[in-house]
Amino acid sequence: MKALTIRQPWADAIAHGEKRIENRTWATRHRGDFLIHAAAAEDRNALPAEMAEPWPDTRSAVIAIAGLVEVHFANGRCCQKWGFSEVYHWELANVRRLARPVPCKGRLGLWTPAEDIATAVLEQEREAVR
C-alpha cells in the first residue's frame, strides 16, 4: 500500500469533489490503489472560486483511497479540468472517501504508511462493503 500527501484544499477536492487529475512535477510507475493523505499545510495559491463546496478541511490524516490508472506529461493544452500544463497528470479513478480520517504524518513523494495506518484504512473499506 502506498500513500501520497496532498495539500488542502486539493486533497478534499479529490476525496469529496470531482478532482480526478493530480498535478505533479514527477512521474511514477505505480498503478492501482493508493491512499490520499491530507497534509498539515494548505496550498495558499489555491483559488477559492475552484472550491465550490464547504469540505471538511481535515489535516494530517488519510482521508481517501484512489486508483491511479495512468500518468502522462501534459505538454501544452490540458486534458481535463483540474489539469495544469507542463506537469505530469496522475489520472485518478474509483475514489473512496473514508468515513473516519486516519491521523498520521505525511511524507514527500509516494510513501509507504506504517502497518497500523494501512490496517485502519483497509478495515474501514471492508466495513463499507458489508
Side-chain angles (χ1 to χ4, degrees):
M1 177 73 58
K2 293 292 186 185
L4 182 68
T5 299
I6 302 172
R7 289 186 178 190
Q8 290 291 25
W10 307 118
D12 273 347
I14 293 168
H16 301 280
E18 61 184 36
K19 185 175 189 279
R20 295 299 178 261
I21 292 291
E22 174 58 18
N23 299 288
R24 292 281 147 171
T25 57
W26 50 281
T28 181
R29 293 177 194 233
H30 178 81
R31 297 296 182 274
D33 285 348
F34 69 102
L35 307 180
I36 302 293
H37 176 268
E42 69 179 312
D43 180 355
R44 295 177 192 254
N45 295 318
L47 302 175
E50 292 175 331
M51 308 299 126
E53 301 292 327
W55 295 314
D57 193 29
T58 302
R59 307 286 177 102
S60 295
V62 174
I63 62 171
I65 304 169
L68 179 57
V69 294
E70 189 56 60
V71 176
H72 67 272
F73 188 75
N75 192 1
R77 203 174 73 189
C78 298
C79 64
Q80 292 186 30
K81 180 181 176 181
W82 303 98
F84 300 152
S85 62
E86 305 304 317
V87 294
Y88 289 94
H89 287 179
W90 292 28
E91 296 179 33
L92 309 179
N94 193 26
V95 175
R96 288 100 66 203
R97 177 177 58 240
L98 297 180
R100 298 174 309 280
V102 178
C104 67
K105 287 187 177 185
R107 294 187 183 90
L108 295 175
L110 200 56
W111 52 278
T112 302
E115 189 174 332
D116 61 326
I117 301 301
T119 299
V121 170
L122 294 175
E123 181 58 33
Q124 282 193 56
E125 189 168 44
R126 282 191 292 272
E127 287 173 7
V129 173
R130 290 182 204 158

